[in-house]
C-alpha cells in the first residue's frame, strides 16, 4: 500500500480532534533515510494522527544505543514502540525465526503472512511478552555479499568469515563450511572494508540502506538463505492506557496490511539495489544457474527439515506455511 493510500486511510479514520492528546515514542537504531521510515514510520504516523495520537520518532539509537536491546527497551517503557530484529536475541523468538531457515517460505507467500499466520494461531504469543505486535514481516530473500571472492558453489564458501545476524543463519554458514561472525548491521561496513569479514548474509535492500555497495565487489544471488524477520511492537500497558479512539486507531493501523506494505517496501529497495549493481558491470552480480542452486539446495533444504524436527515444530511450521 502506497503512502498516499495510507493517507487516505488516515483521513477515513478522522474525527474532530484539534490536537494530539497522546504521544507515543517510537525508537529505532537506523538513520531516518532507512527503508523503515517509508515502510512503517510514515504510514503508521499518518494513520493514527487524525484520532489525536502522535508518534514521535527517535532514530539512530537516540533512546539508547544497541539494536539487541530494543525489545527490553519497549518492555521497560523507555520507548512505547520499537523496531527490532528477532535474530539479535534468537533464543526468545524460537518460531518467529523459522523464516530464516532455507526454503521456509512457500513460493508466493509473504513473510508477513507466514508470521501473522503464526500470531493468529496463538503460536507466537509467548515470544512477544508484555507487547502488542503492530507489524511482523521479513526482508527479501537473503543474498551473499562478498568483499572480493566470487562464490558459485558450496566449495567456494570453505573457510570464509561471513557476518550473520542470527543463530539460525550462523548454522547455515557452518553447513557450508564457512565461519559465522555475529555483529550488528552498523558494524558491517567497516568489517567488510578492513577484511574482518569476507562476506555478509543479509537482504539486498541493506546494500543501499547501509552503503555496502561502497565496499563490496560481488553479490551471489540464488542460494537459499532464508528471509530475515522483523518486528514493530508496542508496550502493552501503554497501549491499554490509551483512550479508546486512539487505541483502536493504532491497532487498526497495524497488522497484516501494514506488514505487507513494509515487506513490499523492502523488496522495492532490494530491486533498486540489485539493478544498481548490475549497472556497475557484468562481474558484480552472480546469478546462479538452476544447477548451481541445486547444489546448495542439496545441503541446506535437508538442514531446514532436520532443524524443524529437532525443534518439534512440525505442526507450527505447517500452520505458518498455510498448509
Amino acid at each position: 500500500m502506497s503512502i498516499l493510500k495510507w493517507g487516505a486511510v488516515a483521513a477515513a479514520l478522522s474525527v474532530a480532534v484539534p490536537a494530539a492528546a497522546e504521544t507515543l515514542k517510537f525508537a529505532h537504531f537506523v538513520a531516518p533515510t532507512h527503508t523503515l521510515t517509508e515502510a512503517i514510520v510514515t504510514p503508521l504516523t499518518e494513520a493514527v494522527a487524525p484520532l489525536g495520537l502522535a508518534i514521535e520518532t527517535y532514530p539512530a539509537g537516540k533512546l539508547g544505543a544497541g539494536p539487541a536491546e530494543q525489545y527490553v527497551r519497549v518492555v521497560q517503557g523507555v520507548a512505547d514502540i520499537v523496531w527490532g530484529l528477532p535474530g539479535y536475541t534468537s533464543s526468545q523468538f524460537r518460531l518467529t525465526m523459522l523464516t530464516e531457515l532455507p526454503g521456509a517460505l512457500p513460493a508466493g507467500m509473504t513473510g508477513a503472512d507466514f508470521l501473522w499466520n503464526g500470531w493468529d494461531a496463538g503460536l507466537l504469543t509467548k515470544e512477544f511478552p508484555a507487547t502488542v505486535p503492530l507489524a511482523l514481516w521479513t526482508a527479501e530473500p537473503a543474498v551473499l555479499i562478498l568483499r572480493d571472492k566470487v562464490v558459485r558453489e558450496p566449495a567456494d564458501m570453505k573457510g570464509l568469515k561471513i557476518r550473520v545476524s542470527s543463530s539460525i543463519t550462523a548454522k547455515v554458514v557452518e553447513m557450508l563450511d564457512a565461519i559465522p561472525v555475529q555483529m550488528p548491521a552498523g558494524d558491517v561496513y567497516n568489517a567488510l572494508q578492513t577484511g574482518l569479514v569476507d562476506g555478509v548474509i543479509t537482504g539486498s535492500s541493506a546494500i543501499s540502506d547501509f552503503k555496502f555497495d561502497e565496499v563490496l565487489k560481488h553479490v551471489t544471488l540464488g542460494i537459499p538463505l532464508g528471509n530475515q524477520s522483523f518486528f514493530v511492537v508496542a508496550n502493552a500497558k501503554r497501549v491499554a492506557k490509551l483512550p479508546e479512539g486512539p487505541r483502536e486507531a493504532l491497532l487498526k493501523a497495524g497488522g497484516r496490511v501494514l506488514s505487507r506494505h513494509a515487506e513490499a517496501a523492502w523488496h522495492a529497495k532490494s530491486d533498486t539495489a540489485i539493478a544498481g549493481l548490475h549497472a556497475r558491470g557484468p562481474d558484480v552480480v552472480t546469478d546462479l544457474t538452476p544447477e548451481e542452486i541445486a547444489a546448495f539446495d542439496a545441503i541446506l533444504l535437508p538442514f531446514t527439515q532436520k532443524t524443524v524436527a529437532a525443534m518439534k515444530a512440525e505442526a507450527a511450521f505447517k500452520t505458518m506455511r498455510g498448509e
Side-chain angles (χ1 to χ4, degrees):
M1 185 178 291
S2 69
I3 299 299
L4 292 176
K5 289 183 179 179
W6 274 105
V9 170
L13 290 171
S14 64
V15 294
V17 179
E22 296 278 352
T23 300
L24 299 179
K25 296 177 291 184
F26 190 152
H28 62 78
F29 52 89
V30 291
T33 53
H34 189 277
T35 307
L36 181 70
T37 297
E38 64 177 287
I40 291 287
V41 176
T42 297
L44 189 62
T45 301
E46 291 183 351
V48 301
L51 270 293
L53 182 59
I55 295 177
E56 290 183 355
T57 307
Y58 295 80
K62 288 185 178 180
L63 288 186
E69 290 74 35
Q70 286 295 90
Y71 200 91
V72 172
R73 200 163 285 132
V74 75
V75 170
Q76 292 179 342
V78 176
D80 301 309
I81 303 172
V82 297
W83 173 57
L85 283 69
Y88 286 154
T89 50
S90 300
S91 60
Q92 176 180 337
F93 299 101
R94 179 173 172 271
L95 297 179
T96 305
M97 296 285 296
L98 289 174
T99 67
E100 303 201 13
L101 287 170
L105 300 185
M109 172 178 274
T110 67
D113 285 311
F114 183 96
L115 291 169
W116 281 101
N117 286 348
W119 177 262
D120 290 344
L123 298 171
L124 305 184
T125 305
K126 293 182 179 179
E127 298 186 5
F128 292 91
T131 67
V132 177
L134 298 177
L136 302 170
W137 76 102
T138 69
E140 66 285 351
V143 300
L144 179 61
I145 296 170
L146 296 152
R147 183 171 183 263
D148 47 36
K149 185 173 182 178
V150 176
V151 169
R152 299 201 72 102
E153 59 183 8
D156 294 334
M157 293 287 293
K158 186 175 180 62
L160 295 183
K161 294 171 292 183
I162 305 297
R163 179 265 176 177
V164 300
S165 62
S166 73
S167 60
I168 285 181
T169 308
K171 292 177 182 177
V172 168
V173 167
E174 290 172 348
M175 291 293 297
L176 296 172
D177 289 329
I179 303 166
V181 180
Q182 289 193 318
M183 65 176 66
D187 297 338
V188 175
Y189 184 102
N190 286 338
L192 276 173
Q193 188 176 46
T194 61
L196 180 62
V197 296
D198 300 302
V200 182
I201 290 177
T202 188
S204 48
S205 58
I207 291 170
S208 52
D209 276 335
F210 293 98
K211 302 185 185 302
F212 294 158
D213 54 319
E214 297 178 354
V215 290
L216 66 82
K217 289 188 178 179
H218 303 285
V219 174
T220 297
L221 308 182
I223 305 173
L225 295 170
N227 298 65
Q228 192 173 47
S229 55
F230 303 108
F231 60 74
V232 170
V233 296
N235 180 290
K237 290 183 179 179
R238 182 71 179 93
V239 172
K241 290 179 180 178
L242 290 173
E244 182 178 0
R247 182 175 65 251
E248 292 304 313
L250 180 67
L251 297 178
K252 186 174 182 178
R256 284 186 190 252
V257 175
L258 179 62
S259 302
R260 289 170 180 162
H261 170 73
E263 192 158 324
W266 250 256
H267 276 264
K269 181 64 71 71
S270 165
D271 292 343
T272 300
I274 294 300
L277 293 180
H278 276 296
R280 279 171 51 175
D283 299 325
V284 179
V285 179
T286 299
D287 288 288
L288 297 185
T289 66
E291 292 75 18
E292 290 170 332
I293 293 172
F296 285 96
D297 285 347
I299 297 170
L300 297 179
L301 298 187
F303 164 75
T304 293
Q305 296 173 347
K306 291 177 181 178
T307 300
V308 172
M311 294 171 61
K312 298 182 179 179
E314 294 96 334
F317 193 53
K318 287 182 179 180
T319 296
M320 296 171 79
R321 285 170 57 91
E323 297 175 349

